[in-house]
Amino acid sequence: MEEDQLYKPGPTAEYLGSTVNTLAYWRYVGQGPAFIKIGRNVSYRGSDVKAWLEAQTRTRTGEHASA
């Protein structure tokens, strides 16, 4: 993912190995990467997706998220 480029939910879900429905659920509950919403259109900035993914790194299973 390019840092400053905007991505629609489909390519973002594919990059994360997830689904568009999971991204929608994460938006609803306030989890997942930060997103941009203009009208009905949702996009994800590459840098936000990468930052969120990095924050998911753990060293053991019982560890809580750092962000």
Side-chain angles (χ1 to χ4, degrees):
M1 289 196 135
E2 297 292 324
E3 294 287 316
D4 294 328
Q5 187 166 340
L6 296 178
Y7 296 89
K8 295 294 181 190
T12 303
E14 187 175 329
Y15 179 80
L16 294 174
S18 188
T19 66
V20 172
N21 287 340
T22 297
L23 288 178
Y25 176 74
W26 286 346
R27 289 192 305 272
Y28 176 72
V29 297
Q31 298 177 351
F35 61 95
I36 298 166
K37 187 167 184 184
I38 301 172
R40 299 173 109 186
N41 296 312
V42 172
S43 296
Y44 294 87
R45 187 179 290 116
S47 58
D48 291 334
V49 174
K50 287 182 175 183
W52 178 81
L53 194 56
E54 186 65 30
Q56 304 314 302
T57 302
R58 308 286 194 280
T59 57
R60 63 179 209 263
T61 58
E63 189 174 348
H64 291 288
S66 60

